[in-house]
Amino acid sequence: MKRLLAVVADGFEETELIAVVDCMRRLGVEVTVAGLESRELKGAHNITISADALLDELVPEDFDGIFLPGGLPGATTLYDSAAVGCWLQAMNENGRVISAICAAPIVLAKANLLENRKFTMYPGFDSYLNGLKYTASPAECDGNIVTGKGPGAVFAFAGKLAGALGLEKECVELFKGMFVEL
């Protein structure tokens, strides 16, 4: 069974977190939602969730991939976190899947994971990218890096993430049953 870590900070984009976690769990992926600073997290639109764990209680070796949802100020909080940067480096060094959607790819840029990569993200965060250019696609997968544009791209993003985790065929069937058309 694949294991995915979703790292969440207050101000996360609820649609991105819930839809992606839901799709992954439907695919049989064991998803752990980890709060960066708290187990009780409030989304950008005042929806509160309870995390399964705190990030500092976990270790990168236990996961096949990591997922960072967007939303503000959630994405900028993740960007400012040294712990998240260390996790991303450890996951990358071990060839694990690294994924981020909406504004959260800025965190990958800070960790120097987007250079010479094809990626997408929510427009308007260019000042965080040190000159890197993103596509306008709903979702991109380049090696072990998966990125998505925003809330409206959650299923395209989840499909790319599933593919990166080796579950592309299963995801096609899942989306057929959910009436997701890509």
Side-chain angles (χ1 to χ4, degrees):
M1 174 184 291
K2 298 291 183 176
R3 297 190 70 210
L4 179 69
L5 178 69
V7 183
V8 184
D10 280 335
F12 65 94
E13 171 54 56
E14 294 96 338
T15 299
E16 294 163 358
L17 176 69
I18 300 302
V20 173
V21 169
D22 178 72
C23 287
M24 293 302 110
R25 287 184 175 169
R26 287 175 189 242
L27 289 167
V29 176
E30 183 181 327
V31 181
T32 300
V33 176
L36 180 60
E37 300 166 336
S38 171
R39 284 180 185 257
E40 293 298 314
L41 300 153
K42 185 180 278 192
H45 304 97
N46 296 316
I47 297 173
T48 302
I49 66 154
S50 296
D52 302 312
L54 290 172
L55 184 63
D56 65 7
E57 298 171 342
L58 305 168
V59 294
E61 300 80 69
D62 289 343
F63 296 93
D64 300 296
I66 188 169
F67 162 54
L68 307 180
L72 293 175
T76 53
T77 301
L78 297 175
Y79 179 89
D80 291 333
S81 169
V84 172
C86 289
W87 266 81
L88 292 174
Q89 292 302 325
M91 298 294 279
N92 192 53
E93 288 169 9
N94 291 305
R96 299 308 205 299
V97 175
I98 298 170
S99 62
I101 190 169
C102 196
I106 65 173
V107 186
L108 307 188
K110 183 178 182 181
N112 296 314
L113 299 176
L114 297 180
E115 290 182 32
N116 302 313
R117 300 282 191 146
K118 190 174 186 181
F119 71 100
T120 191
M121 63 182 291
Y122 195 88
F125 292 90
D126 298 60
S127 63
Y128 290 88
L129 299 178
N130 296 320
L132 297 173
K133 302 294 180 198
Y134 51 91
T135 72
S137 297
E140 297 283 3
C141 182
D142 189 339
N144 67 322
I145 306 291
V146 179
T147 53
K149 190 171 185 178
V154 292
F155 292 111
F157 174 80
K160 296 278 188 188
L161 178 54
L165 290 169
L167 300 168
E168 183 176 1
K169 183 178 176 184
E170 294 86 345
C171 190
V172 168
E173 290 303 310
L174 172 67
F175 282 1
K176 190 184 300 180
M178 292 175 67
F179 302 101
V180 174
E181 296 180 21
L182 297 176

